[in-house]
Amino acid sequence: MSLSFHRTLGGALAALALLSAYPGRSQEAAPRYYEEDVAASNPIRSEQARELDAYINALKKDDRRLRSLFRPNYSSVKAYQASTKPLRERFAQSIGYPPPGQPDSTAPSFTQVGEDAIGTYYRARISVLPGVHAVGIYIAPKGVKGRVPLVVSMHGGGGSPEAALFRGGSNYRDMVRGGVKRGYAVWAPTHLFRAEGFPQDIRNRVDSRARLVGTSLTAIEIAKITRSLDVLLKRPEIDAKRVGMVGLSYGGYYTLVTAALEPRIKAAVSSCYFGVQEGRYEQDELSVPSDFRFTDRFTLLNDPEIVALICPRPLEIQAGSRDNASHREMGKQLAPRAEEHYRRLGRADAFRFVVFEGGHEFHDATAWEWIEKHL
């Protein structure tokens, strides 16, 4: 063997001897970390859920924000209306109203689709936002001279103006034609519930997407009504100072929220809706549709507060004695809170809560008597 080989071998043996003297240098021992079963934190997660539940429930019961924002002044109608401004602005903000954009340059169209002894029927199309139109049925009454009141007639969930109008109107009864029979013009707009070629939950999808761009389906559908009024109230047969609104179920919801934001609506009837959300919240807070669940709905904007934004304009609330209890019982409890604003302002006769003999339906007798009285 060569001398260089012996030198190399000797060096290797020396290195092995050195490593043997310091074993940690060759192969460090694997560190021992603290370990714990993931399930050990199950109680912590449960505690967090309980804490958040208690926190939300405490906020729901805390009315300090409402009392600081809404300080009604009952000394006069003018003072009261001024005092509702901060709450109205907060409501508009919570739903993203008005939705971004203005009507486009498309001219409104009124296409006659029918005629009978009481009126002439038009399918109207009115621009309300860029590329977005309000479409519905507009009926001009016959045999009436001069300018006439306008009544907005709002259909309910899953419905349409056609469902509320034709073949007897089902549970809508005379909610649309009733106004025409009394010599009023009627605007029955369409709101989105079902659409062929789109998913069954198209309404929730549109609402969720609208929220991501700073508005909501509620705000858009209110705008479909308010911006339609900009056009309709210019028609020669309409008395712009006499505007009413009626609605059943979901239409009852839209009657309240639209009148709360639209002062041109001078009298309203909300049927089979008032208190529904609060009643369901007590059983399952998330059981109501997503467009009902706007920011501060629990804390600032319960139905009596929405009514406070309508006051002192006349409002009738209807509930059916045979309707589902969730459409009546909580409303009965909340009605005195709503009525108090009218009473303290000296306008008690401008608010009425009616439990009529019937189910989930529009009650023509009291509704049209109310509208006739106040328009």
Side-chain angles (χ1 to χ4, degrees), residues 43 67 88 133 261 281 287 328 334:
R67 286 188 284 110
R88 182 174 289 103
H133 298 82
L261 294 173
Y281 287 153
S287 66
R328 180 185 60 255
L334 294 176

Side-chain angles (χ1 to χ4, degrees), residues 59-300:
L59 288 178
K60 286 169 57 180
K61 297 175 182 177
D62 188 348
D63 66 351
R64 287 175 296 179
R65 286 180 61 220
L66 175 60
R67 286 188 284 110
S68 66
L69 185 68
F70 181 39
R71 298 175 179 176
N73 182 341
Y74 300 107
S75 62
S76 69
V77 169
K78 185 176 180 180
Y80 176 81
Q81 290 173 328
S83 71
T84 64
K85 184 178 178 180
L87 185 61
R88 182 174 289 103
E89 290 176 344
R90 184 67 190 90
F91 174 43
Q93 179 185 358
S94 73
I95 61 173
Y97 180 86
Q102 295 296 320
D104 59 32
S105 59
T106 306
S109 65
F110 291 81
T111 303
Q112 184 173 336
V113 294
E115 186 175 12
D116 59 23
I118 63 170
T120 305
Y121 299 71
Y122 301 86
R123 185 158 277 110
R125 191 170 188 265
I126 301 169
S127 174
V128 296
L129 291 165
V132 178
H133 298 82
V135 180
I137 294 178
Y138 173 74
I139 311 172
K142 282 187 173 181
V144 179
K145 296 180 180 180
R147 294 178 179 268
V148 301
L150 173 69
V151 174
V152 180
S153 182
M154 193 67 246
H155 67 80
S160 68
E162 295 77 14
L165 174 59
F166 303 122
R167 299 186 179 182
S170 185
N171 61 331
Y172 295 101
R173 307 303 181 198
D174 228 8
M175 192 182 79
V176 181
R177 278 200 175 98
V180 185
K181 291 175 181 177
R182 288 162 174 81
Y184 308 148
V186 172
W187 168 234
T190 303
H191 283 180
L192 175 65
F193 286 97
R194 293 189 299 258
E196 290 186 5
F198 289 86
Q200 286 292 105
D201 63 343
I202 182 62
R203 185 175 180 83
N204 286 342
R205 289 176 183 241
V206 170
D207 182 54
S208 296
R209 295 181 67 207
R211 291 170 190 259
L212 295 176
V213 294
T215 185
S216 67
L217 186 55
T218 289
I220 293 169
E221 291 185 327
I222 292 174
K224 285 188 174 185
I225 297 170
T226 61
R227 291 181 177 174
S228 293
L229 291 181
D230 295 341
V231 172
L232 293 167
L233 297 186
K234 294 176 182 177
R235 290 183 64 87
E237 69 270 22
I238 298 299
D239 181 349
K241 295 181 179 180
R242 293 192 289 166
V243 181
M245 184 167 179
V246 300
L248 170 68
S249 195
Y250 237 114
Y253 165 69
Y254 274 103
T255 297
L256 289 184
V257 295
T258 305
L261 294 173
E262 177 51 82
R264 289 176 294 182
I265 296 173
K266 302 302 184 184
V269 176
S270 173
S271 184
C272 299
Y273 163 75
F274 183 76
V276 170
Q277 291 191 57
E278 287 83 351
R280 289 182 178 174
Y281 287 153
E282 287 196 345
Q283 301 174 17
D284 179 0
E285 292 168 354
L286 302 183
S287 66
V288 300
S290 68
D291 51 317
F292 284 173
R293 291 185 256 129
F294 46 79
T295 304
D296 279 323
R297 182 62 179 81
F298 280 159
T299 51
L300 301 177

